[in-house]
Amino acid sequence: EHIDNPAVFLNKAKKLLKKGGYLMVACPNIDSLMARIFLDRWYGLQPREHRNQFTKKTLPNLLLSVGFNLEKVVVNNLDYQVKGWKGLIFTLLLKFADLAKMGDQIIVVAKYA
């Protein structure tokens, strides 16, 4: 998400891998519960740094489109360190996000076949 053209970058990464090599990509999930709640204050919305936004569908589709095979797609939450009553609210929200598979982060493991 930090680069202007992720497909070009992934094609370059693929050239560096041997056949059967693995690539792991992790990025914020724009479709997460926290993104929906915090909107423009969500950590993943940093226009100068996060130039592209992905969901648990669009990131795997991008990898497939440049010739990778998907091995694993995981959606999880970051470990927020919030104290007090706000921490309790965060804990409840994160539990719900886990159950709904709406975590903050997407991790994809892909193989260059």
Side-chain angles (χ1 to χ4, degrees), residues 32-100:
S32 72
L33 179 65
M34 293 305 210
R36 291 176 184 209
I37 291 171
F38 289 101
L39 304 171
D40 64 340
R41 292 187 352 239
W42 178 59
Y43 90 95
L45 291 179
Q46 299 174 25
R48 291 185 178 156
E49 292 183 34
H50 296 175
R51 296 178 179 160
N52 296 281
Q53 296 293 334
F54 296 100
T55 69
K56 63 185 174 188
K57 291 183 182 179
T58 60
L59 182 59
N61 285 344
L62 173 62
L63 287 158
L64 288 170
S65 75
V66 297
F68 283 95
N69 293 329
L70 302 178
E71 295 287 314
K72 190 170 193 172
V73 178
V74 176
V75 177
N76 65 4
N77 284 302
L78 298 175
D79 185 21
Y80 290 93
Q81 299 295 313
V82 181
K83 297 183 187 236
W85 63 269
K86 288 182 182 178
L88 177 61
I89 292 170
F90 264 74
T91 299
L92 293 172
L93 288 172
L94 294 173
K95 283 286 186 198
F96 179 79
D98 280 339
L99 292 171

